Amino acid sequence: MSQEHNCSEVAALRKAIEDEYLAARRGLYGLAQYAQHDFIQARMQGVGRHYEELSRLLGEERAIDLVIEVNDELIPPQTGQNQP
């Protein structure tokens, strides 16, 4: 696999992980306010699938670093209060 193709695949997987996290966040704190547990669980399973693919491309350590990076960018720390 070429380096350029590998980079674009990693970028696409990173974007897919972002989308899963954002969907889960909207499910928790969006207009509905009371998302189904199954919906949020499905989003997190999607993150897991994308992580597995990243692990294949980058190795486990770099893949988990990337998932944590996306999580830290998109999910604010818990303060014990409901998020806006």
Side-chain angles (χ1 to χ4, degrees):
M1 180 180 298
S2 72
Q3 181 69 17
E4 183 176 311
H5 179 74
N6 191 20
C7 288
S8 64
E9 193 171 351
V10 169
L13 287 165
R14 187 185 196 290
K15 174 68 170 115
I17 290 168
E18 288 177 6
D19 292 345
E20 296 285 6
Y21 273 124
L22 290 172
R25 181 173 167 78
R26 282 190 301 273
L28 280 174
Y29 306 115
L31 295 176
Q33 287 290 317
Y34 300 104
Q36 296 288 329
H37 173 76
D38 293 342
F39 175 81
I40 296 166
Q41 183 178 13
R43 304 289 65 80
M44 294 299 97
Q45 288 172 342
V47 170
R49 286 190 302 275
H50 300 311
Y51 161 75
E52 291 296 328
E53 185 66 19
L54 282 170
S55 291
R56 187 182 66 74
L57 294 170
L58 303 174
E60 287 184 24
E61 189 171 322
R62 179 61 189 123
I64 196 63
D65 287 346
L66 195 143
V67 172
I68 291 168
E69 177 183 304
V70 171
N71 180 74
D72 289 350
E73 288 174 8
L74 298 175
I75 308 298
Q78 293 295 315
T79 62
Q81 300 174 358
N82 289 340
Q83 298 294 318

